Amino acid sequence: MAAPPNAPPHESAEPPPLGQRIFDNVLLLLALGTLIMFVVFTGWGMWEILTMPAATLP
Amino acid sequence: MLTKVHTGLDPVPGVWWKPAHKAEKVWVAIAFGWCMVLFAMMPLWHWKGGQNPSGVRRRVEPKAFYARTLAFANQYKVGEDRGLPIVAPPPGADIYLVGLTFQWYPILRLERGKEYMLHLSSLDVNHGFSLYPLNVNFQVVPGYDYGLRVTPTAAGDFRILCNEFCGIGHHTMVGRVIVVDEAGQPVADNEAARIRRGGAR
Amino acid sequence: MTAPAASLFRTCRVTGRRIHIQAEWLVKANAVVAVVALLVGATAALLLALTRWQAVHLLPPEWYYRLLGVHGMNMLIFFIIYFEMAVLWFAGTVLLNARPAAPKLGWTNFGLMLAGSLLVEWTQWTGRADVMFTSYPPLKAHPVFYLGVILFAVGALLVVAQFFATILIAKREKTYSGSLPLVVYGAATAAIIAVITLLHGALIYIPTFLWSLGLIPSVDPQIYRMLWWALGHSSQQINVAAMVAIWYLLGGLTVGAAVLNEKVSRWAFVLYILFISLASAHHLLVDPGFSPAWKIVNTSYFMYMAVLASMVHGFTVPAGMELGMRLRGFTQGMFGWLRRAPWGDPGFSALILSIVVFGFFGGITGVTIGTEQINIVAHNTLRVPGHFHATVVSGTAMAFMGATYYLLPLIFRRKVAFWGLAKAQPWLFAIGLLLLETGMTFAGSFGIPRRHWDISFSQAPFDVAINPAVDLFMAMIGIGGIMAVTGALAFILIAVKSVFLGEAVTEIPRGTAMAGIPQGLTNPPVYPPNVDALNQELHAPGRGIAGATPGTLVLVGVFLLAFMVYYFTNWKLLSFLWKIG
């Protein structure tokens, strides 16, 4: 299953777990962080402002 | 097997995606639970609590809002103080307050325990509505009408400070709100609101 | 893989690391400019504190408002971002034994940032930008003000891009094996948040610049506030990530802090990346532009996931220190590791002060006043600066100062000058700040506004009765401010003397304390040969839930209790207010 016991860990034939690979992918994280901000804060916020109805000043 | 002991300066070879120790898991669980409490408090207060910044929010032309405020002040004017009309609207009414450099117009005279729909906006730049000393604070943005249902719970002769920088006269921008109790106290022209003739500083 | 010419690198005689000389110069240049900005900001700070202290009321109104803008720009933008550029150049190269991507461009970008800073500085000091550092339209500044900010931001964004390129190249060239060290991961987190920050900066400053030139008719004030705070608060979250990265760095250098669990610490950084910028919304909680749903989802960093992250680091950072100390034999009782820690090392004392004040004062007040409803009693009062001085200054700036005590001998290769003063400096700074922050927070609870020249209201049409207790709080701001500025000036004095007139360091003999060299370098923390076995033992199930770090568990328990008490007390106080909404 694993590489021979004396081999340094990073030369093992198995790739690290998916979670580790995702966390190691800095550009992916950059994309996700940017996307979430632009949708949840900026996009939604702009939508709220732009769709606000006009005052009737009752 | 734990990873080899290392500091945060060391690169980490091999697999470090390993389960946490019990103490860490417990702390994360407790912290997560606390975060859920923090999150729940806000919707809960909307449901059960008495103070929420939710209101009837509308876009408005600053000049139109100002004109509406003048009309409102004329309609319910009962007196005057320092050149500003004292305005006593009926409970349940839509009431208007406008911030402009460097004053709050008009002076509102409200009744304790009664509800009003307070509309806040600015004629020119951002202002900060700060009802003192209660400490009720809202951002007053030109182009936007912030309609807040308000019920004063205490009588008194309050002040409105401006707490958003609006220019060199920012610190002179003080307004007045009077809330009378069932006996009509305090009266609109009470002694406490005398002019302060301050020096240059 | 191209073999770099030998002259491009030097080998550090203290740590054995391979250091790229151009990258090192970029670290130094950015650090020096950061300290210059700190000096400008600190000078302004003193004059401001002596003005808000109503009994002194030093500056006339025009200059108070002007220097408030100068203070904000120099501290929150220039000082901190230049220092963070230094951190990025350092983390991407020195900690990875790597070469920087396109170092010449690094200098171009530095020049761009410098040009932008000088333009902004000029407009502010000459009264062409009396709009506070937030510059909310319809208040309008001279176009060069906005242009300066844009140039600075573009330069910084390009350096961030170079950082990403550097770490990707390092990975490809295999200058390190495995995953990025945790400190570099924290720096990468800061860099990612910087991208989010600066993109929003471009989105808002470019139209505002065009408006100031008369090329577009207006900038909607509510849209401006939303986009500006996406820049303005996210820039503070860059500071949080950088600060936490420095915590792990200083922990490792001063006491051999061990990483408890990489997955846990990296989860916390990932939660920052995904959610921390959303909380820019806490500046907009009492604005008319947004619904309660938007406010609640965003101000909570998405269900407080980023607060969870902070609470995780709040555990793993001290726990790592406790574990590192226990593994090296400091095993007495619950807190022997803390009592016997190197308190005489200003890098260590700055680290502890940063963690404690950021957590207890900054974090707790921030989450509380950042609650949609509690914000009603806090918005634009002095509670806000009371909070953020506890995070950005007592937290981030303090951590950066602590790191400087190691940067000076390692990168500048100078002894730390005025060593006695250096040991006292973190305490002087921290205590002064605590006094300042306490004064601000209490005054704010009494309704005293921020950014306000005169609470005697001598020029206002109506009198405003101020509780006499407020005079005490304003005096605390004045005196705390004097003390904190003294602490900052002490740091600047030490840094400048060391860098420009200091004693060179060539070798650091191990084993004996040396004035001007922190103990982490003269007596570097070294693990015993059987450290992994010891670690297994400390984590053995038989030790129960407290495991390897019982002391830290007690500390975070105290923290959580303080949090709960402060938080619920504030809800209770809110309930006495008028009915609103």
Side-chain angles (χ1 to χ4, degrees):
Chain A
M1 185 181 96
N6 293 330
H10 68 271
E11 285 176 28
S12 156
E14 294 175 25
L18 179 64
Q20 183 164 329
R21 279 181 282 138
I22 291 175
F23 276 25
D24 275 346
N25 192 334
V26 169
L27 292 183
L28 172 65
L29 295 173
L30 168 64
L32 284 174
T34 311
L35 184 69
I36 291 176
M37 178 67 174
F38 272 95
V39 169
V40 180
F41 180 93
T42 320
W44 183 6
M46 278 299 268
W47 180 84
E48 295 231 324
I49 293 175
L50 295 175
T51 59
M52 193 184 292
T56 52
L57 298 174
Chain B
M1 267 304 292
L2 301 167
T3 52
K4 224 166 124 24
V5 173
H6 62 283
T7 72
L9 294 107
D10 305 316
V12 199
V15 174
W16 47 260
W17 190 267
K18 290 176 193 276
H21 181 266
K22 189 130 196 263
E24 292 148 45
K25 283 192 182 141
V26 168
W27 175 246
V28 171
I30 292 174
F32 184 83
W34 176 236
C35 289
M36 292 301 105
V37 168
L38 293 174
F39 185 67
M41 280 304 294
M42 290 188 283
L44 194 72
W45 202 260
H46 270 279
W47 180 39
K48 288 284 194 189
Q51 295 77 18
N52 290 285
S54 46
V56 177
R57 299 166 298 104
R58 297 282 183 263
R59 290 176 152 282
V60 74
E61 255 306 310
K63 291 200 174 73
F65 187 90
Y66 184 62
R68 181 73 189 89
T69 308
L70 290 175
F72 157 76
N74 282 333
Q75 185 180 4
Y76 297 113
K77 181 171 173 175
V78 296
E80 214 178 84
D81 182 13
R82 246 76 69 175
L84 290 164
I86 300 175
V87 177
D94 285 275
I95 68 182
Y96 292 84
L97 181 75
V98 67
L100 54 149
T101 49
F102 297 103
Q103 60 175 239
W104 295 101
Y105 181 99
I107 297 174
L108 293 168
R109 184 183 182 280
L110 309 174
E111 294 173 47
R112 176 171 66 184
K114 301 292 197 309
E115 188 182 279
Y116 305 84
M117 178 62 101
L118 171 66
H119 293 262
L120 291 173
S121 191
S122 163
L123 179 59
D124 40 42
V125 298
N126 274 277
H127 293 285
F129 173 89
S130 182
L131 191 60
Y132 182 90
L134 301 162
N135 218 358
V136 176
N137 301 283
F138 285 95
Q139 187 78 8
V140 176
V141 185
Y144 293 83
D145 171 2
Y146 208 166
L148 294 155
R149 279 186 316 160
V150 170
T151 305
T153 53
D157 192 342
F158 304 99
R159 299 290 176 261
I160 307 172
L161 308 182
C162 179
N163 63 9
E164 182 61 74
F165 176 71
C166 52
I168 195 61
H170 168 55
H171 47 272
T172 68
M173 188 165 163
V174 178
R176 187 178 175 203
V177 173
I178 305 154
V179 179
V180 296
D181 61 15
E182 290 71 21
Q185 296 293 330
V187 298
D189 56 352
N190 81 45
E191 265 300 295
R194 32 175 214 292
I195 295 173
R196 284 279 302 272
R197 298 201 185 283
R201 292 254 261 171
Chain C
M1 171 179 142
T2 44
S7 59
L8 291 176
F9 289 83
R10 69 172 182 94
T11 305
C12 174
R13 278 144 89 162
V14 181
T15 62
R17 288 181 182 272
R18 198 174 71 136
I19 300 180
H20 192 278
I21 295 172
Q22 275 303 298
E24 196 175 41
W25 276 109
L26 284 163
V27 172
K28 292 195 235 190
N30 279 282
V32 166
V33 176
V35 171
V36 172
L38 181 67
L39 178 60
V40 175
T43 310
L46 182 63
L47 299 171
L48 296 170
L50 292 175
T51 305
R52 293 278 356 218
W53 184 2
Q54 200 75 23
V56 178
H57 215 202
L58 187 64
L59 295 171
E62 197 189 4
W63 276 99
Y64 168 76
Y65 292 122
R66 186 165 299 156
L67 287 189
L68 203 48
V70 167
H71 177 68
M73 260 308 169
N74 276 279
M75 295 306 217
L76 287 170
I77 300 291
F78 299 150
F79 157 64
I80 268 196
I81 294 184
Y82 278 112
F83 201 97
E84 280 153 359
M85 298 293 106
V87 169
L88 289 183
W89 287 118
F90 175 81
T93 62
V94 175
L95 293 184
L96 300 179
N97 286 322
R99 62 182 178 88
K104 284 206 183 69
L105 275 183
W107 289 109
T108 315
N109 297 328
F110 175 72
L112 208 56
M113 289 173 72
L114 210 52
S117 317
L118 290 170
L119 290 177
V120 170
E121 212 67 61
W122 170 71
T123 54
Q124 287 192 308
W125 282 95
T126 58
R128 288 171 166 83
D130 286 339
V131 291
M132 297 286 143
F133 118 96
T134 42
S135 52
Y136 297 136
L139 290 176
K140 190 191 282 196
H142 190 284
V144 168
F145 173 77
Y146 306 105
L147 179 66
V149 175
I150 291 168
L151 291 178
F152 179 85
V154 169
L157 190 55
L158 291 173
V159 172
V160 168
Q162 285 187 273
F163 170 77
F164 288 122
T166 299
I167 63 175
L168 290 172
I169 291 172
K171 186 170 184 171
R172 197 165 16 106
E173 291 183 356
K174 293 189 167 44
T175 63
Y176 68 98
S177 65
S179 297
L180 289 171
L182 189 61
V183 172
V184 183
Y185 202 72
T189 301
I192 290 174
I193 300 171
V195 172
I196 297 173
T197 302
L198 295 167
L199 286 178
H200 284 87
L203 265 181
I204 192 50
Y205 271 100
I206 293 173
T208 308
F209 171 57
L210 296 176
W211 166 68
S212 75
L213 285 171
L215 295 173
I216 65 174
S218 67
V219 174
D220 181 276
Q222 188 69 91
I223 293 179
Y224 180 95
R225 279 174 60 80
M226 184 188 81
L227 292 176
W228 196 92
W229 280 112
L231 155 83
H233 202 91
S234 304
S235 63
Q236 306 320 305
Q237 311 294 25
I238 307 171
N239 301 337
V240 170
M243 175 187 70
V244 175
I246 299 278
W247 284 354
Y248 285 112
L249 175 76
L250 278 174
L253 288 174
T254 56
V255 297
V259 177
L260 246 61
N261 184 303
E262 290 284 354
K263 185 172 84 167
V264 171
S265 288
R266 285 168 200 249
W267 252 117
F269 280 123
V270 169
L271 286 174
Y272 276 173
I273 289 169
L274 297 179
F275 302 123
I276 205 171
S277 305
L278 300 177
S280 297
H282 62 228
H283 295 275
L284 303 162
L285 296 176
V286 291
D287 272 48
F290 313 95
S291 67
W294 182 91
K295 289 173 179 175
I296 290 174
V297 168
N298 281 284
T299 199
S300 69
Y301 311 87
F302 202 82
M303 308 208 303
Y304 289 104
M305 286 299 95
V307 171
L308 175 63
S310 286
M311 289 176 76
V312 166
H313 286 309
F315 175 76
T316 58
V317 167
M321 289 195 276
E322 179 174 0
L323 180 59
M325 290 291 278
R326 285 184 186 278
L327 289 171
R328 294 190 298 122
F330 298 90
T331 51
Q332 280 169 303
M334 248 330 182
F335 296 106
W337 60 278
L338 192 57
R339 270 183 288 113
R340 296 178 60 195
W343 289 97
D345 175 353
F348 180 78
S349 56
L351 170 64
I352 298 295
L353 289 165
S354 169
I355 295 170
V356 171
V357 181
F358 179 88
F360 277 85
F361 203 126
I364 292 178
T365 57
V367 170
T368 304
I369 65 180
T371 305
E372 191 205 2
Q373 296 93 341
I374 295 176
N375 195 256
I376 294 173
V377 296
H379 179 67
N380 276 352
T381 66
L382 274 175
R383 275 181 87 174
V384 175
H387 152 74
F388 69 69
H389 281 79
T391 48
V392 172
V393 195
S394 300
T396 305
M398 176 68 85
F400 287 179
M401 289 172 174
T404 302
Y405 291 116
Y406 278 81
L407 204 77
L408 286 169
L410 288 173
I411 296 288
F412 287 93
R413 288 182 274 165
R414 295 273 184 274
K415 282 193 182 168
V416 176
F418 305 120
W419 188 233
L421 180 64
K423 292 201 240 192
Q425 184 270 329
W427 296 98
L428 184 61
F429 193 54
I431 293 169
L433 284 169
L434 276 172
L435 205 59
L436 174 92
E437 290 150 8
T438 306
M440 284 176 163
T441 303
F442 277 106
S445 325
F446 278 74
I448 303 301
R450 63 180 296 205
R451 292 177 159 184
H452 196 280
W453 178 70
D454 181 21
I455 59 163
S456 76
F457 294 99
S458 56
Q459 292 166 19
F462 301 103
D463 65 313
V464 180
I466 304 282
N467 191 309
V470 169
D471 289 324
L472 170 66
F473 303 136
M474 304 316 272
M476 283 167 75
I477 292 174
I479 296 169
I482 292 171
M483 211 177 149
V485 169
T486 309
L489 292 176
F491 170 77
I492 294 168
L493 178 71
I494 291 165
V496 170
K497 171 93 198 294
S498 308
V499 168
F500 295 105
L501 299 165
E503 209 183 310
V505 172
T506 42
E507 306 288 344
I508 298 183
R510 302 287 165 93
T512 28
M514 222 166 131
I517 309 279
Q519 55 83 43
L521 300 179
T522 55
N523 289 67
V526 170
Y527 298 129
N530 62 335
V531 67
D532 287 298
L534 282 174
N535 195 27
Q536 285 290 146
E537 223 175 274
L538 284 175
H539 284 90
R543 277 179 68 97
I545 190 203
T549 58
T552 303
L553 275 173
V554 171
L555 295 173
V556 295
V558 170
F559 168 78
L560 188 58
L561 207 64
F563 202 160
M564 290 174 167
V565 169
Y566 186 81
Y567 183 73
F568 287 117
T569 304
N570 273 274
W571 278 109
K572 188 66 188 164
L573 292 172
L574 179 70
S575 70
F576 297 136
L577 205 64
W578 291 11
K579 298 276 167 287
I580 301 169

